[in-house]
Amino acid sequence: MTNTLKAPEQKPESSKTAASPLLTFYRSSIGKKLITGFTGLALVTFVLVHMAGNLLLFVGRDAYNAYALLVSNFGVVYYAFELALTAIVLLHAWVGIEIFWRRRQARPEGYSTYQSAGGNSYQTLSSRTMIITGLVLAVFWVTHLMTFRFGTHYTTELGGDTVRDLARLVIEKFQALPYVVGYTVILGLLASHLRHGFWSALQSIGLLDRGIRPLAYGTSAVVGAGIAAGFLLLPWAIYLGLVS
């Protein structure tokens, strides 16, 4: 009798466990760029709305507290929005860290100088420090929430009802020079982060071509500086006694 050796049976390709399309998209470099792009633009939109709300304190305490009350009165929608915003911040930060770490692994020694492979170079201090400014801003976001969202709950009368006096808390905090100076530094980091992040997000989602890239790059710097200036108007006005 002749013994015949049989090769191990190959499992059909269809029987292998395939990664989900969503996970495959997340793991791809294009997926990561799109995620950081869309989440970044979502956060810029939130920052702009938040800045506009802050500026209401120039109108008066009642206007500012009425705005805060209106937002909180959305109830379940308000809490859902907070959860969604938290998820966006965490996703944006996590993917950004992953991209940074992969680049570090690919170029462990980095470069002593930065040059463009062709055309104008968009490498700046802002682009090279995105991971640093991003992490600092993430920590600030948490402390900012603890200070104002979950901070001292003063009350006041508004339209015959007792409501939270958030305006009093804001004014109280920004009457301290160290807090104003620290806030100014953080907003400077935000301007730096947005200088590169805004145009990079537009490019990542495919809204820029070579022709308008320089314009978008310049606009990004204006957007970053403008948002930082808009946020800084109120704390310095409070500290200087122009808002009380």
Side-chain angles (χ1 to χ4, degrees), residues 192-206:
S192 175
H193 198 79
L194 290 177
R195 180 189 178 188
H196 177 75
F198 184 64
W199 82 269
S200 181
L202 294 176
Q203 179 172 261
S204 294
I205 62 178

Side-chain angles (χ1 to χ4, degrees), residues 71-91:
V71 172
S72 64
N73 278 344
F74 280 108
V76 175
V77 175
Y78 173 59
Y79 294 113
F81 175 79
E82 282 193 324
L83 289 174
L85 180 62
T86 301
I88 290 172
V89 170
L90 292 176
L91 182 59

Side-chain angles (χ1 to χ4, degrees), residues 84-172:
L85 180 62
T86 301
I88 290 172
V89 170
L90 292 176
L91 182 59
H92 185 78
W94 180 257
V95 175
I97 291 171
E98 279 197 337
I99 292 174
F100 170 78
W101 184 248
R102 286 189 177 186
R103 288 176 179 172
R104 289 287 295 179
Q105 288 181 316
R107 301 171 182 173
E109 296 181 2
Y111 296 108
S112 58
T113 59
Y114 291 81
Q115 295 180 339
S116 175
N120 295 327
S121 173
Y122 295 102
Q123 286 281 359
T124 63
L125 180 62
S126 296
S127 65
R128 296 193 292 271
T129 57
M130 286 293 284
I131 189 66
I132 298 173
T133 55
L135 290 174
V136 173
L137 289 170
V139 173
F140 168 75
W141 176 71
V142 174
T143 59
H144 192 66
L145 279 178
M146 297 303 296
T147 301
F148 294 105
R149 175 70 175 86
F150 304 106
T152 307
H153 193 96
Y154 297 119
T155 59
T156 187
E157 293 295 319
L158 183 66
D161 297 321
T162 300
V163 301
R164 186 183 184 190
D165 192 356
L166 186 58
R168 177 182 172 183
L169 179 60
V170 172
I171 291 172
E172 180 182 89

Side-chain angles (χ1 to χ4, degrees), residues 44-75 78 81-82 85 144 148-149 156-159 163-168 170 231 234:
V44 170
T45 302
F46 166 75
V47 166
L48 283 170
V49 173
H50 185 42
M51 181 187 72
N54 280 1
L55 294 177
L56 281 175
L57 194 48
F58 281 104
V59 178
R61 291 194 180 204
D62 285 351
Y64 187 79
N65 286 330
Y67 166 73
L69 179 63
L70 174 65
V71 172
S72 64
N73 278 344
F74 280 108
Y78 173 59
F81 175 79
E82 282 193 324
L85 180 62
H144 192 66
F148 294 105
R149 175 70 175 86
T156 187
E157 293 295 319
L158 183 66
V163 301
R164 186 183 184 190
D165 192 356
L166 186 58
R168 177 182 172 183
V170 172
F231 272 105
L234 182 63

